[in-house]
């Protein structure tokens, strides 16, 4: 009886599953939102039901035979102690249940027949609608007709369209363009649920400072030398990161910090971009980028945010939700990340595979950009018209979304990196072990040494010269015999070499790397060449093609060290003047210096800076200025300016009596408006007054009345696209306002113009943040 019961149960399950499967079948090529019920023909459906009835009838006959057998024999007598019959229902009860099921099957047959008739009728109506769609003429959707025309000709050019249900019919085009993209109005006959008021989102988890970095090392993964290098660096600095986190945690006690979901995609390490760095890690190749990326990963993790790390295009596509195809369609679901940190290679990969979603979500992207991207190169139309277009620019991002290694471009955000900090014991050991006649040359590639024999000969008269030039079997001929070459050293051994040396000397290249800061932090003096004229994209091949002019700013190999550190730690001299070069070496040998590291390059300084960016930088919402009055009374011809002359009448400041204060970051209380001299950039102008140019403040001074407040006479005022505006051409009394906010720029100058420059104060040792920015 148990056997027969089991057979009956599984037979019913099988038949019902088979029948249900017929109703859920989906046609190949139907999209998630054009899916239609596929039903069997009436004869086939009734045949399935008839087979069910036959099997139930056969089951009833077998149960009847079993019942008669039970009544006429003592078959179970010996087993009653082990298998009591009262465990099971009587056969008559089971028969009644089977008969009830049979009656239900008969009822189902009638209902299925009705469903079949209705479905076939509705299917014909739906097919008619799908084949008879007309392109709507709606002024709110002016691009609809053109997009439909494009789809007719090219819908097979990318498999992603078929993935979203496009099948070549007019209706499938309109469904796609209205429900996946947004170029056409919704179709009135489409099934759409009534919008239900959504519940407020649950509170976001708060970011918490971790107690170790083990999880971060797992997230980074394995398989590349570059990843191994970054993990070694993170392990080496782990305790410094954790100590810095505890100090920052105490300073931020009680403040709300929402945990962000962050994707870190290191595009230059993907195979699709060539990954030229990983093979060179062990051969003296440039490590500055990997140093910075390791520190970015550590800082984001230590700040308590949720990270995903990718170094392959396949992983990127998976995390973003890219549909199958060639990248012309939007993502399959909303972007699950609040922020994405990537580089130019990753930015290009995202644009190629995100379709229209790239434009929608690009405000969440932060681009790690070593040398910076100036607004004139970033604005696609302007760069094309004015000759600023390069292979790397024209992204139309907010310039502050680009994040640099050094704070040389105020238009961009300063990301930075960290150098190792010394404790008091290490400082004493360094002081005791310094060799005043020992120099280390900055340059691991032999090509850097070529043509430097003259400088090396002078230096060799006073100091023992050490090098760390990579070679495999034979000493590089560019390195003179009197140089003690250690070959490529692991990072900790290179640190030990710097702790003994008195001098770290650069020969003009590489530009703006992390090594000089590491040398200064280990008690070395950094000697570098002054460039006259300064290097820029106009006169030097290295900067040509990069999205920055760096006009007049690259005055030495390491402008940050020259400007923000200076003597006695940094000496910048004319290498073409042998006497000046030799005198500098003699003076350096007599000069005693302590290890020095700017606060902004410590772990705590970097954590503080990135915390401020994450909390306050928002490029997805537009900031608004106060509305102008709709009517002007005789007493009020224009809204009062929130700016006022400073007490000494040299510049403008935010007026304490202003009737409003925008929710701006940096706070407007730090704003000062200065007028540049002809051919001076706003970066230079602010620096001359001990301030920093702040491009986010341009919107407050891009007004005609600001010229009047500064006593600038304007015979005419025009609004145009020009990265030098707002400005005044004084010789003709013509004033110019900026028409395109993306072109507000601290960079750029012209002998014709005096520019209006927005400046702000900054925290000691943290130029990226104003005094009240935390």
């Amino acid at each position: 009886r148990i056997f027969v019961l089991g057979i009956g149960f599984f037979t019913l399950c099988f038949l019902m599953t088979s029948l249900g499967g017929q109703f859920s079948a989906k046609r190949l090529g139907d999209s998630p939102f054009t899916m239609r019920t596929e039903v069997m023909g009436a004869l086939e459906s009734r045949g399935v039901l008839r087979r069910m009835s036959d099997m139930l009838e056969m089951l009833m006959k077998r149960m009847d035979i079993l019942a008669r057998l039970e009544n006429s024999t003592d078959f179970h007598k010996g087993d009653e102690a082990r298998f009591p019959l009262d465990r099971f229902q009587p056969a008559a009860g089971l028969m009644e249940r089977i008969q009830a099921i049979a009656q239900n099957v008969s009822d189902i047959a009638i209902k299925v027949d009705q469903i079949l008739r209705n479905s076939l009728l509705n299917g014909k109506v739906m097919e008619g609608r799908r084949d008879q769609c007309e392109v709507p003429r709606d002024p709110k959707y002016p691009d609809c007709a053109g997009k439909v025309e494009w789809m007719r000709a090219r819908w097979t050019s990318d498999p992603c369209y078929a993935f979203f249900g496009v099948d070549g019919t007019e209706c499938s085009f309109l469904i796609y363009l209205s429900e996946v993209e947004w170029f056409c109005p919704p179709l009135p006959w489409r099934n759409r649920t009534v919008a239900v008021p959504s519940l407020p989102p649950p509170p976001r988890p708060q970011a918490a400072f971790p107690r170790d970095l083990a999880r971060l090392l797992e997230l980074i993964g394995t398989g590349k030398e570059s990843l191994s290098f970054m993990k070694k660096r993170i392990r080496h600095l782990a305790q410094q990161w954790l100590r810095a986190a505890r100090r920052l945690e105490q300073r931020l006690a009680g403040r709300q910090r929402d945990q962000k979901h962050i994707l870190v995609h290191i595009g230059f390490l993907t195979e699709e971009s060539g990954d030229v760095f990983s093979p060179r890690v062990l051969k003296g190749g440039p490590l500055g980028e990997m140093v910075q990326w390791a520190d970015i990963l550590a800082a984001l993790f230590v700040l308590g945010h949720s990270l995903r790390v990718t170094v392959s295009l396949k992983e990127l596509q998976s995390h973003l939700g890219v549909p199958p195809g060639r990248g012309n369609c939007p993502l399959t679901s909303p972007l699950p990340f609040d922020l994405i940190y990537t580089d130019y290679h990753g930015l290009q990969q995202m644009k190629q595979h995100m379709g229209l979603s790239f434009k929608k979500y690009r405000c969440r992207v932060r681009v790690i950009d070593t040398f910076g991207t100036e607004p004139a190169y970033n604005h696609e139309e302007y760069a094309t018209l004015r000759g600023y277009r390069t292979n790397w620019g024209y992204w139309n991002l907010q310039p502050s979304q680009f994040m640099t290694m050094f704070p040389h471009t105020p238009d961009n955000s300063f990301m930075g990196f960290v150098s190792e900090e010394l404790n008091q014991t290490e400082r004493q050991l360094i002081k005791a072990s310094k060799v005043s006649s020992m120099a280390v040359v900055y340059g691991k590639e032999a090509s850097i040494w070529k043509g430097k024999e003259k400088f090396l000969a002078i230096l060799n008269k006073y100091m023992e010269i050490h090098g760390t030039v990579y070679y495999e079997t034979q000493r590089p001929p560019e390195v003179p015999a009197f140089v003690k070459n250690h070959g490529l050293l692991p990072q900790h051994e290179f640190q030990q070499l710097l702790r003994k040396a008195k001098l770290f000397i650069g020969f003009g290249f590489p530009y703006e790397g992390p090594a000089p800061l590491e040398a200064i932090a280990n008690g070395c003096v950094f000697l570098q060449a002054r460039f006259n004229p300064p290097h820029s994209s106009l006169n030097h091949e290295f900067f040509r093609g990069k999205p920055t002019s760096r006009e007049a700013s690259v005055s030495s190999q390491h402008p940050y060290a020259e400007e923000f550190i200076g003597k006695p730690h940094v000496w910048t001299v004319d290498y073409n003047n042998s006497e000046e070069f030799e005198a500098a070496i003699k003076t350096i040998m007599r000069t005693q210096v302590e290890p020095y590291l700017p606060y902004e390059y410590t772990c705590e300084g970097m954590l503080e800076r990135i915390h401020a960016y994450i909390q306050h930088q928002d490029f997805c919402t537009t900031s608004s200025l106060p509305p102008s009055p709709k009517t002007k009374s005789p007493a009020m011809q224009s809204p009062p300016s929130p700016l006022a002359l400073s007490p000494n009448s040299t510049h403008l400041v935010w007026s304490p009596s202003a009737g409003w204060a925008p929710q701006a970051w940096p706070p407007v209380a730090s704003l000062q408006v200065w007028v540049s001299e002809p051919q001076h950039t706003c970066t230079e102008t602010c620096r001359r007054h001990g301030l920093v140019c702040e491009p986010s403040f341009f919107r407050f001074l891009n007004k005609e009345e600001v010229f009047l407040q500064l006593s600038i006479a304007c015979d005419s005022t025009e609004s145009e696209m020009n990265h030098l505006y707002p400005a005044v051409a004084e010789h003709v009394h013509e004033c110019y306002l900026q028409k395109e906010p993306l072109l507000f720029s601290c960079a750029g100058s012209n002998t014709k113009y005096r520019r209006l420059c927005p400046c702000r104060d900054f925290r000691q040792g943290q130029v990226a943040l104003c005094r009240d920015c935390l």
Side-chain angles (χ1 to χ4, degrees):
R1 194 164 21 174
I2 297 173
F3 173 75
V4 174
L5 179 63
I7 291 295
F9 174 75
F10 285 112
T11 301
L12 282 172
C13 290
F14 171 76
L15 290 172
M16 296 304 292
T17 302
S18 300
L19 184 63
Q22 299 294 334
F23 285 95
S24 63
K26 188 178 77 169
R27 272 203 272 183
L28 184 63
D30 279 348
S31 77
F33 45 80
T34 60
M35 197 180 298
R36 293 169 296 175
T37 305
E38 188 73 71
V39 258
M40 300 176 295
L43 291 176
E44 186 180 352
S45 301
R46 294 190 187 99
V48 172
L49 294 170
R50 189 178 298 114
R51 287 196 296 273
M52 289 177 64
S53 297
D54 292 343
M55 293 190 72
L56 287 169
E57 185 179 353
M58 181 178 66
L59 187 61
M60 290 171 61
K61 289 178 180 179
R62 292 183 178 179
M63 289 296 299
D64 185 56
I65 294 171
L66 183 62
R68 286 198 301 271
L69 181 63
E70 182 180 8
N71 292 333
S72 60
T73 67
D74 294 329
F75 179 75
H76 297 283
K77 284 184 179 179
D79 299 326
E80 282 188 23
R82 286 179 297 166
F83 300 101
L85 287 177
D86 58 2
R87 277 187 172 186
F88 307 101
Q89 293 183 358
L94 186 59
M95 294 272 295
E96 291 174 1
R97 286 174 176 265
I98 293 175
Q99 287 173 347
I101 292 173
Q103 182 61 44
N104 287 338
V105 170
S106 177
D107 296 339
I108 290 172
I110 297 172
K111 292 179 180 180
V112 166
D113 189 63
Q114 294 174 349
I115 292 172
L116 288 171
R117 295 178 185 276
N118 292 333
S119 297
L120 291 173
L121 179 62
N122 291 335
K124 291 179 179 178
V125 174
M126 186 65 72
E127 285 294 335
R129 284 179 173 173
R130 287 175 57 84
D131 295 337
Q132 297 176 12
C133 287
E134 293 183 0
V135 179
R137 305 295 178 182
D138 190 331
K140 296 180 182 178
Y141 299 88
D143 298 324
C144 182
K147 289 293 181 180
V148 170
E149 189 66 31
W150 188 95
M151 291 291 288
R152 288 192 194 110
R154 298 181 178 87
W155 75 273
T156 57
S157 63
D158 193 324
C160 71
Y161 296 118
F163 173 82
F164 281 113
V166 177
D167 58 10
T169 62
E170 203 80 351
C171 288
S172 70
F173 299 154
L174 290 171
I175 292 171
Y176 174 85
L177 292 171
S178 62
E179 299 181 19
V180 179
E181 298 182 4
W182 45 87
F183 293 105
C184 294
L187 299 176
W189 52 268
R190 291 286 293 166
N191 290 329
R192 294 188 299 277
T193 57
V194 178
V196 178
S198 58
L199 296 174
R204 299 192 64 157
Q206 294 298 292
F209 293 97
R211 298 308 173 202
D212 64 69
L213 304 185
R215 175 59 183 154
L216 173 60
L217 298 176
E218 293 177 11
L219 288 171
I220 294 174
T222 58
K224 290 178 178 286
E225 290 292 344
S226 50
L227 298 180
S228 299
F229 173 86
M230 287 191 277
K231 290 167 75 171
K232 286 179 184 177
R233 177 175 176 83
I234 291 171
R235 287 192 195 96
H236 181 69
L237 295 174
Q239 293 307 311
Q240 293 199 17
W241 281 115
L242 295 173
R243 285 195 296 268
R246 287 193 289 271
R247 292 193 295 268
L248 184 62
E249 184 177 21
Q250 292 174 355
R251 292 167 53 196
L252 298 177
R255 298 195 191 182
Q256 292 289 309
R257 293 192 311 118
D258 289 346
Q259 186 185 62
K260 305 291 186 182
H261 295 283
I262 299 175
L263 174 65
V264 179
H265 176 61
I266 310 175
F268 75 88
L269 292 183
T270 61
E271 297 300 326
E272 290 77 10
S273 68
D275 188 13
V276 298
F277 285 86
S278 293
R280 301 174 66 187
V281 169
L282 302 178
K283 298 182 179 181
L287 300 179
E289 287 84 355
M290 281 172 280
V291 164
Q292 187 181 33
W293 275 109
D295 295 345
I296 291 169
L297 287 166
L300 293 173
F301 183 83
V302 167
L303 286 171
H305 299 293
S306 174
L307 300 188
R308 290 291 182 271
V309 183
T310 66
V311 291
S312 79
L313 181 58
K314 186 176 181 180
E315 288 177 326
L316 174 68
Q317 292 172 317
S318 174
H319 285 306
L320 294 178
V322 175
R326 299 188 177 93
N328 290 304
C329 298
L331 302 180
T332 57
S333 59
L335 186 69
F337 301 103
D338 301 299
L339 292 169
I340 299 176
Y341 287 82
T342 188
D343 52 27
Y344 264 123
H345 295 282
L347 194 64
Q348 184 65 45
Q349 291 167 351
M350 289 169 59
K351 183 179 180 180
Q352 288 176 348
H353 295 278
M354 288 178 67
L356 287 176
S357 295
F358 178 77
K359 186 176 182 180
K360 180 179 181 180
Y361 293 119
R362 64 184 176 183
C363 61
R364 303 188 190 182
V365 175
R366 306 294 183 265
V367 184
I368 308 305
D369 178 15
T370 301
F371 296 101
T373 297
E374 293 174 7
Y377 296 80
N378 171 60
H379 192 282
E380 183 175 15
E381 179 186 356
Y382 186 78
T384 303
L385 293 175
R386 300 295 185 94
Y388 291 104
R389 191 177 178 103
T390 69
N391 291 333
W392 300 103
Y394 61 86
W395 286 95
N396 289 331
L397 300 179
Q398 292 292 334
S400 294
Q401 290 178 252
F402 297 99
M403 311 189 104
T404 59
M405 185 173 281
F406 291 96
H408 47 61
T409 306
D411 294 311
N412 304 148
S413 298
F414 164 46
M415 171 59 76
F417 59 94
V418 303
S419 286
E420 186 172 357
E421 300 173 69
L422 303 177
N423 58 37
Q424 196 57 40
T425 302
E426 290 169 326
R427 285 173 171 268
Q428 293 299 325
L429 288 173
I430 287 176
K431 191 173 183 179
S433 61
K434 279 291 179 185
V435 179
S436 60
S437 59
M438 178 178 172
V440 176
V441 175
Y442 180 19
K444 294 175 290 185
E445 297 186 26
S447 59
I448 296 173
W449 295 65
K450 190 174 182 179
K452 306 301 187 299
E453 295 82 5
K454 180 181 177 181
F455 312 130
L456 290 168
I458 296 174
L459 182 62
N460 188 48
K461 292 195 306 184
Y462 302 95
M463 290 185 161
E464 180 182 74
I465 305 174
H466 293 249
T468 57
V469 182
Y470 169 79
Y471 67 96
E472 293 183 355
T473 57
Q474 185 174 329
R475 180 186 176 95
E478 294 87 350
V479 181
F482 55 76
V483 174
K484 185 176 181 180
N485 185 31
H486 299 263
L488 189 64
L489 293 177
Q491 187 68 14
H492 69 280
E493 292 184 27
F494 181 64
Q495 293 276 356
Q496 294 303 318
L497 190 65
L498 291 176
R499 293 183 178 188
K500 291 181 181 179
K502 175 75 173 184
L503 177 67
F504 189 61
I505 182 171
F507 284 146
F509 190 84
Y511 295 101
E512 300 175 309
L517 262 66
E518 293 176 351
I520 296 167
N522 282 286
C524 293
V525 174
F526 178 50
L527 177 62
Q528 64 172 344
R530 180 187 300 115
F531 299 148
N532 190 17
H535 292 182
S536 70
S537 61
L538 303 177
N539 63 12
H540 203 273
E541 189 63 32
F542 179 83
F543 292 101
R544 195 166 292 127
K546 290 181 171 57
T548 174
S549 64
R550 296 296 299 273
E551 195 173 348
S553 68
V554 188
S555 56
S556 61
Q557 181 175 352
H558 208 290
Y560 175 87
E562 177 187 8
E563 178 186 344
F564 289 91
I565 301 178
K567 292 181 180 179
H569 303 279
V570 180
W571 290 65
T572 305
V573 302
D574 181 4
Y575 278 24
N576 293 320
N577 186 329
S578 299
E579 293 179 359
E580 182 182 356
F581 179 77
E582 190 167 356
I585 293 173
K586 293 178 181 178
T587 306
I588 289 169
M589 293 179 68
R590 298 191 302 268
T591 304
Q592 296 297 319
V593 296
E594 294 289 331
Y596 174 73
L597 180 62
Y599 174 75
E600 55 200 354
Y601 284 96
T602 65
C603 290
E604 186 176 356
M606 187 169 184
L607 288 175
E608 177 185 88
R609 187 166 59 250
I610 296 182
H611 158 74
Y613 290 155
I614 291 175
Q615 291 297 110
H616 299 290
Q617 283 187 336
D618 181 3
F619 304 112
C620 296
T621 57
T622 56
S623 54
S624 59
L625 292 172
S628 299
K630 295 181 179 179
T631 59
K632 296 182 180 179
S633 65
M636 188 178 189
Q637 294 299 318
S638 62
S641 172
L643 302 174
L645 274 174
S646 63
N648 58 6
S649 301
T650 57
H651 61 282
L652 299 179
V653 296
W654 195 270
S655 174
S657 61
W660 65 285
Q663 295 296 317
W665 190 85
V668 292
S670 63
L671 167 63
Q672 297 184 26
V673 182
W674 290 85
V675 183
S676 77
E677 295 299 321
Q679 208 169 1
H680 280 193
T681 67
C682 282
T683 302
E684 294 173 287
T685 300
C686 295
R687 187 182 300 150
R688 285 168 178 259
H689 297 288
L691 302 168
V692 175
C693 183
E694 178 51 60
S696 67
F697 287 158
F698 268 113
R699 61 194 176 103
F700 299 120
L701 51 100
N702 191 45
K703 302 177 180 179
E704 190 172 355
E705 58 264 28
V706 174
F707 290 104
L708 298 176
Q709 288 182 284
L710 290 166
S711 301
I712 297 174
C714 302
D715 291 343
S716 65
T717 303
E718 302 291 338
S719 181
E720 298 179 8
M721 281 203 318
N722 190 311
H723 71 287
L724 303 179
Y725 296 165
V728 56
E730 283 193 316
H731 63 290
V732 291
H733 302 290
E734 293 177 351
C735 297
Y736 300 93
L737 299 176
Q738 180 58 259
K739 185 179 180 181
E740 172 51 72
L742 283 181
L743 287 175
F744 284 137
S745 176
C746 295
S749 63
N750 190 294
T751 55
K752 177 181 176 181
Y753 299 119
R754 296 185 69 193
R755 302 187 57 191
L756 301 190
C757 298
C759 308
R760 63 162 171 84
D761 57 36
F762 58 92
R763 298 169 65 87
Q764 185 66 32
Q766 186 75 285
V767 70
L769 303 179
C770 68
R771 292 171 188 162
D772 297 325
C773 276
L774 286 179

